[in-house]
Each structure stands twice: as structure tokens, then as C-alpha cells.
Amino acid sequence: MTSQHPYSEFDLVAAPVFVLEFNKDGAPVYAAFNKYGLKKSGRPLSDYLGKTAQEVYAQAYGRTAYAHHCAARDTGIAMSYQLDLPVGGITRNIRTTLYPDIDETGKVTRLVGCSTDLSVERNAVEAKVQFDTLAAEMEQFVALAAHDLRAPMRQISAIADLLREDITDRTASNLELLDALNKIAAKTMNLVTDVLQHVEIAAVGNTETVFSFPALCFDICDTLDPNKLHNVTTASATLRADRTVLQIALCNMIENTLKHGNRARLNIRIDVREGPAGMIEVVLTDDGNGFSSDALSVMNHSRFRAESGYGLFAVKRLISARGGTLVAQNLPNGTGAIVRFTLPGRYVGGSLKADDQARPGAEQPRTGNSGHRHSA
């Protein structure tokens, strides 16, 4: 196409553009093809000019494209179609839109076509499907392996107990070896449990329900702290969200606080507020010893650390997969920690200025002010 060609302006378009005019028999033939399209096709302009699509493209490609060209000519209606076309020696998925040019009498005088290569998008979708399938298979394999590991670990622990009962040489060194064996078995069982929990969390779906936020928090605390050794307060709110996902996230965070807080009586505060559009933000504050550097690395940077366990890593994945965020930080001078995370959801009742609700049966915290409950 030269600069004198009537369709030279199409050379300025960074997409394949072509023009179809009608020969003496009324067949749509190529009258122009812009430079971008020619470069992508790897063919000279002479391969197109004066030819129909079925003459340019062999077999079903050309027949299907030609049928669409004729349909646009006959109806005078813009239309789009997708084809797998051989472009530059590679079969690519192309979406083409045809725009009829109609004169004053209502007659279609030509067709202008514009094409888009969908191969990258389709390949990305196929790659994601393959990745998701492989990831699911790997998680199933890990779950099966973890289940299989439980039995030998229990046997090791049982054998250690039997040896302790039957051993005749009860020297300190022998007893220390048996203690070490029991500790290894217990630690391995905890690791196996974490792996299974990780797989279960990854498989959680999406189901929204309406529920009481304080009731959810206190149910979790009653399970993790049945003797009510720790003080817990929450915001008063009724939410519409995925209760299961929120429960998993909160349960993991609260359990981590109780396990590593290293205080006889912890004060734990769980607030909820409206986050970005369509999201809720949960803020959990405690006065324990704070997070380890490995745990902070997992939550803030998604960097897996075996030392932090699989639980935090799984919760990070769970929240991120739903478009949420998770940030954690330690308070100054070892005075506690704050965790903030967001999940899809919204308020359906309660108030951001509602009074704190203390956990029934637990001592009311001495710190905190209901007027500032949502600024933690």
C-alpha cells in the first residue's frame, strides 16, 4: 500500500485493518490491507489484492471467513467472528469485526475489517487452567502424603512409650533420648496437622450469609480458650460475608496470639469496620509478645517460612484469593501486635459507634475506650 493509495490512512492504525470491495460478480475481495496487518501476516500485499478470503486462506479457514464477508455484504449489519487462522506460519485465534459502508441508497459499497489477536489471552486462560489443575493435584498429593505420615508418627510415639516402660537401663542419657524421640514425633504430627489444615483452607469456597460478628468471635474464643483465661472484646455488628472464611482467618490469628502471646492473661480486641467498596476490615489487637520475624514475613510479604508453620501461609492465600489484604505489625517495646485484614462483605446491622461487647464470663479489660474502638 503506497501513500497515494485511497486507504493509506489505515497505515496509521496499530492493528490489522483491511478493506473488502465487490468485484463484477459481487464477491467481496480484498482491496487494501494496512502495513500492520501485512507485517503480522508475513505476506505481501499481492497475496490479497483482488482475491476472496477463500482464495487467500486454504481449507475451512477461507470458506468460513468468506461466508462471514458475504453475510455482512447481504445484511449491511456490523458483525464479529472468531477463527483460528494461519498467521506467519503459526495458527492464531483471531477475532475480526466487519463494518459495512452504506451509500445513500442503502446499498453496501464496501466492508472495513479490523482484527484482534486473542491468542495471548486464550493461552493465558489455558495456562491458568493447567496451573490450577496442577496445583489442585499437588495439594491432593500433599494431603494424602500427610495422612499416610500420621500412622508411622503415632507408632513412633507409642514405641517410645513402650521403651520407657520396659527399659532396664534407666540412665539419664537413655531417658533423654526417649524424650527427644517423643518430641520429634509430636513436632512431626503438628507439622502434618498444619499441612492438612493448609489443604483444607485452600479448598474453601464462597458462600455469603448474615451473622453476628461478636457471636462468631466468642464461639472461636470459647473453643480455643475454654477456661476463659483471657479477656476478649469485639465490635457490635451484624455482617453479610463468607462466615466460614472469616472464621478460618480469625481462628488462626487468635490461636496464634494465644499460643505465642506468653502472657497468663491477654487482652485481645477484635474490631470490624467498613473497608474499601464491598469489603470489611477486621483489626485484631493484643498485648502479647508480638510476632516472630518469620510470621511477619509470611503475612506482609507472602514469603513462606517453615518456622512460621503452614497456617499463616494458608490464611494469607485464602484472603488474597478473595481480593483481600493482610498486614501485621508489632507494637513498640514488646507491648503487643496488630493484624489488619480485609475480606468481601458489608454491614447489615449494628453501628460503628456501638459499645464494646465483652466475652461472657471473662473479666472486663481494664484498657480501651469504646469511643475509640475503631481507631486501633
Side-chain angles (χ1 to χ4, degrees), residues 133-156:
T133 301
L134 180 60
E137 290 174 351
M138 289 178 65
E139 287 183 346
Q140 290 174 4
F141 172 79
V142 169
L144 289 172
H147 277 294
D148 289 343
L149 281 172
R150 279 184 161 181
M153 286 304 104
R154 290 195 187 98
Q155 291 171 359
I156 291 173

Side-chain angles (χ1 to χ4, degrees), residues 300-339:
N300 294 331
H301 307 293
S302 298
R303 295 171 184 164
F304 176 70
R305 294 289 187 274
E307 293 80 0
S308 67
Y310 287 86
L312 291 177
F313 183 64
V315 169
K316 176 71 173 182
R317 281 186 60 192
L318 183 74
I319 292 173
S320 298
R322 284 154 180 79
T325 58
L326 173 62
V327 178
Q329 67 182 88
N330 289 330
L331 296 175
N333 304 318
T335 55
I338 292 181
V339 178

